[in-house]
Amino acid sequence: MIKEFKPNDNFEEMTKKGVFIFDFSATWCGPCKMLHPVFEEVSNKLSEYNFISVDVDECPLLSAKFNIRAVPTLIVIVDGQVKKETAGYMDEESLEKFIQSAI
């Protein structure tokens, strides 16, 4: 299940403990639209982790914090620490491997 990050959410408090996969995307982005169902499927498979969707247009401060220059950008955070980051579309198997390699 994917949770949507909202501008008033407290990022530091949210990511203090646990595994978080952030998908920085935009509604106007073609590759983001292609990635969304893959992200959803992987979130169902790896339900022990927190999957968070961030609209870069709605959350410019968080996007700036991570210097997001391309969408989609995926960032894995474990116990408050960024472990891995990548940009662009990936298929289900590649996304699972990306997440597992960061943990």
Side-chain angles (χ1 to χ4, degrees):
M1 185 167 99
I2 299 172
K3 178 187 182 300
E4 284 189 47
F5 188 88
K6 297 297 180 190
N8 59 347
D9 287 344
N10 185 327
F11 174 81
E12 280 76 19
E13 192 63 36
M14 173 191 285
T15 59
K16 231 185 245 185
K17 193 100 176 110
V19 176
F20 297 83
I21 301 88
F22 281 83
D23 172 21
F24 288 84
S25 61
T27 56
W28 46 262
C29 165
C32 298
K33 291 177 186 176
M34 291 171 43
L35 179 62
H36 186 76
V38 173
F39 195 66
E40 181 87 47
E41 186 62 34
V42 173
S43 78
N44 292 332
K45 280 185 177 179
L46 303 177
S47 59
E48 67 272 25
Y49 305 140
N50 301 285
F51 286 76
I52 314 291
S53 176
V54 181
D55 185 317
V56 295
D57 295 322
E58 284 185 21
C59 301
L61 294 177
L62 186 61
S63 300
K65 175 183 175 73
F66 288 101
N67 202 27
I68 302 300
R69 298 274 181 242
V71 287
T73 292
L74 298 168
I75 299 177
V76 179
I77 297 174
V78 180
D79 296 335
Q81 299 295 313
V82 174
K83 295 296 183 181
K84 204 160 189 183
E85 181 177 335
T86 190
Y89 171 82
M90 62 178 73
D91 62 29
E92 195 174 316
E93 182 181 338
S94 299
L95 179 55
E96 285 184 51
K97 285 180 181 175
F98 168 76
I99 293 167
Q100 297 296 353
S101 71
I103 298 169

